[in-house]
């Protein structure tokens, strides 16, 4: 029996996708995400417990959410994540579970992830050269991440994607090397525009930014006969390449030209329900959960968040608020 979707916003968009941050902590200090010295992370008591996370996912599933992605910070820093995944997989309505990770701990957790029945893993990899990787992540961990990526590609997980933040110093040769990964591996390499969530000045972002249009131009210059495909909602442009097993996609995350098909909600590690990546505030679910509020009220709160979803990220983004946010505080 088809599940009824009860999550619709004012613009007719149906929400069926929930991104859940399980921690705000990370073992990298990527230049586009947070300062080198890190930020003041929240105490464990401020974060949602496994029981609270699963309750929210279950309620969202009853309203029509089918896909759940676990993020952070770095989600694999949370030791009970495999158990959360396994229990989430059994919740009514939830059809697919996904994970976004920086890959450093994947080797350790890969058997448990497979056992949980996970459907997809997205791995952040912004450079294929050790020194550039160290410069971006501020950690000398390229070889470990690379070996874990190869293990993941061989593990039989249905969907593996590599997320590449397209920075200004992404060279044409490195872009070609990234795309070459799709020749021998069934992987989607996704080039993502830089977003303004790293506690740095706007001038830093401007100098580090490269556009989705530039990435597309480079792809067309170096690969003949790109075959357009339908990607995910954020993969506004997705391509197959002749004789390549995988795919290439472009995500205009800052340009925000894909907002019209947005179908997602975000749950931060400390329990805020955000209806847009660029939203400054959201529904505070943690306090409601800990007050013992009924499912009926929580369901209405989730529906309220969806109904008030802004038309696009440009309208959602606060202007001149002086507030600087790190991606790890939102949920990557």
């Amino acid at each position: 029996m088809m599940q009824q979707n009860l999550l619709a916003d004012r613009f007719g968009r149906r929400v069926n996708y929930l991104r859940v941050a399980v921690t705000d902590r990370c073992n990298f200090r990527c230049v586009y995400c947070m300062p080198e010295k890190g930020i003041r992370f929240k105490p464990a008591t401020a974060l949602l417990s496994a029981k609270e996370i699963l309750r929210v996912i279950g309620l969202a599933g009853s309203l029509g959410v089918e896909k759940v992605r676990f993020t952070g910070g770095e989600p694999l820093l949370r030791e009970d994540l495999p158990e959360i995944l396994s229990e989430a997989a059994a919740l009514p309505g939830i059809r697919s579970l996904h994970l976004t990770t920086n890959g450093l701990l994947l080797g350790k957790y890969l058997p448990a992830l497979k056992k949980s029945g996970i459907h997809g893993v997205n791995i952040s990899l912004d450079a294929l050269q050790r020194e550039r990787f160290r410069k971006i992540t501020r950690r000398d961990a390229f070889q470990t991440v690379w070996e874990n990526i190869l293990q993941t590609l061989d593990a039989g997980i249905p969907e593996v994607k590599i997320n590449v933040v397209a920075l200004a110093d992404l060279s044409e040769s490195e872009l070609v090397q990234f795309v070459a990964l799709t020749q021998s591996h069934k992987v989607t390499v996704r080039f993502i525009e830089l977003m303004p969530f790293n506690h740095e000045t706007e001038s830093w972002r401007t100098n580090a930014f490269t556009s989705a249009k530039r990435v597309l131009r480079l792809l067309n210059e170096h690969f003949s006969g790109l075959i357009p495909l339908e990607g995910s909602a954020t993969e506004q442009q997705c391509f197959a390449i002749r004789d390549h097993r995988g795919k290439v996609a472009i995500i205009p995350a800052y340009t925000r030209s894909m907002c019209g098909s947005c179908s997602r909600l975000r749950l931060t590690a400390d329990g805020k329900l955000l209806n847009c990546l660029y939203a400054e505030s959201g529904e505070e679910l943690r306090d409601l959960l800990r007050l013992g509020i009924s499912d009926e009220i929580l369901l209405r709160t989730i529906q309220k968040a969806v109904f008030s979803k802004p038309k696009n990220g440009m309208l959602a983004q606060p202007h001149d608020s002086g507030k600087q946010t790190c991606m790890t505080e939102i949920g990557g």
Side-chain angles (χ1 to χ4, degrees), residues 59-76:
L59 291 169
S62 72
L63 290 171
V65 166
E66 299 175 329
K67 176 180 178 179
V68 178
R69 178 175 299 280
F70 293 92
T71 69
E74 172 46 50
L76 292 178

Side-chain angles (χ1 to χ4, degrees), residues 221-272:
E221 287 176 1
H222 290 276
F223 299 93
S224 61
L226 294 176
I227 305 166
L229 300 172
E230 184 175 350
S232 69
T234 55
E235 294 166 0
Q236 191 174 50
Q237 293 167 307
C238 188
F239 305 99
I241 301 174
R242 192 182 306 278
D243 298 325
H244 285 228
R245 295 182 64 199
K247 298 179 288 186
V248 179
I250 302 173
I251 300 177
Y254 184 73
T255 307
R256 282 164 272 188
S257 51
M258 71 289 194
C259 293
S261 59
C262 183
S263 61
R264 65 180 60 183
L265 283 174
R266 292 174 177 268
L267 181 67
T268 66
D270 61 346
K272 293 184 184 67

Side-chain angles (χ1 to χ4, degrees), residues 59 285 288 293-303:
L59 291 169
L285 294 189
L288 296 179
I293 296 299
S294 69
D295 284 355
E296 182 180 355
I297 293 176
L298 287 167
L299 288 167
R300 288 207 300 265
T301 303
I302 295 171
Q303 289 176 309

Side-chain angles (χ1 to χ4, degrees), residues 50-310:
K51 183 178 180 180
E52 289 166 341
I53 290 171
L54 289 165
R55 186 180 178 196
V56 175
I57 294 173
L59 291 169
S62 72
L63 290 171
V65 166
E66 299 175 329
K67 176 180 178 179
V68 178
R69 178 175 299 280
F70 293 92
T71 69
E74 172 46 50
L76 292 178
L77 287 174
R78 182 151 176 164
E79 294 184 354
D80 60 352
L81 181 63
E83 290 75 25
I84 294 174
L85 279 164
S86 295
E87 292 191 43
L91 291 172
I94 304 303
R95 297 186 178 183
S96 67
L97 298 176
H98 302 255
L99 174 73
T100 295
T101 171
N102 63 30
L104 187 61
L105 299 175
L106 257 179
K108 174 183 177 181
Y109 284 102
L110 198 52
L113 293 176
K114 284 191 64 181
K115 187 177 180 181
S116 74
I118 197 164
H119 296 85
V121 175
N122 288 13
I123 308 164
S124 298
L125 183 69
D126 302 312
L128 289 171
Q129 283 73 45
R130 176 181 173 182
E131 182 54 30
R132 185 167 181 266
F133 180 95
R134 185 201 62 76
K135 179 181 176 183
I136 293 172
T137 65
R138 300 186 178 115
R139 297 291 186 269
D140 188 9
F142 172 78
Q143 195 58 39
T144 299
V145 171
W146 179 245
E147 290 172 0
N148 288 341
I149 288 174
L150 295 178
Q151 286 184 46
T152 306
L153 289 169
D154 291 336
I157 291 174
E159 185 177 82
V160 178
K161 299 183 179 183
I162 293 177
N163 289 342
V164 185
V165 174
L167 298 172
D169 64 342
L170 175 67
S171 66
E172 294 184 34
S173 62
E174 191 167 25
L175 180 142
V176 170
Q177 290 172 41
F178 268 116
V179 176
L181 298 177
T182 69
Q183 187 165 14
S184 54
H185 299 288
K186 191 179 178 182
V187 62
T188 301
V189 173
R190 314 192 315 162
F191 296 98
I192 305 172
E193 282 185 337
L194 176 67
M195 291 172 280
F197 301 116
N198 71 332
H199 262 288
E200 293 286 353
T201 63
E202 178 63 16
S203 62
W204 180 92
R205 194 204 65 80
T206 301
N207 292 330
F209 181 81
T210 196
S211 69
K213 289 182 178 179
R214 175 179 177 250
V215 173
L216 179 60
R217 175 175 58 79
L218 292 175
L219 287 175
N220 279 312
E221 287 176 1
H222 290 276
F223 299 93
S224 61
L226 294 176
I227 305 166
L229 300 172
E230 184 175 350
S232 69
T234 55
E235 294 166 0
Q236 191 174 50
Q237 293 167 307
C238 188
F239 305 99
I241 301 174
R242 192 182 306 278
D243 298 325
H244 285 228
R245 295 182 64 199
K247 298 179 288 186
V248 179
I250 302 173
I251 300 177
Y254 184 73
T255 307
R256 282 164 272 188
S257 51
M258 71 289 194
C259 293
S261 59
C262 183
S263 61
R264 65 180 60 183
L265 283 174
R266 292 174 177 268
L267 181 67
T268 66
D270 61 346
K272 293 184 184 67
L273 190 65
L274 303 177
N275 56 25
C276 178
L277 172 63
Y278 287 87
E280 189 173 27
S281 61
E283 299 293 336
E284 300 280 356
L285 294 189
R286 183 192 64 198
D287 293 342
L288 296 179
L289 290 164
R290 294 180 182 179
L291 285 171
I293 296 299
S294 69
D295 284 355
E296 182 180 355
I297 293 176
L298 287 167
L299 288 167
R300 288 207 300 265
T301 303
I302 295 171
Q303 289 176 309
K304 176 185 173 184
V306 171
F307 187 75
S308 60
K309 190 174 175 66

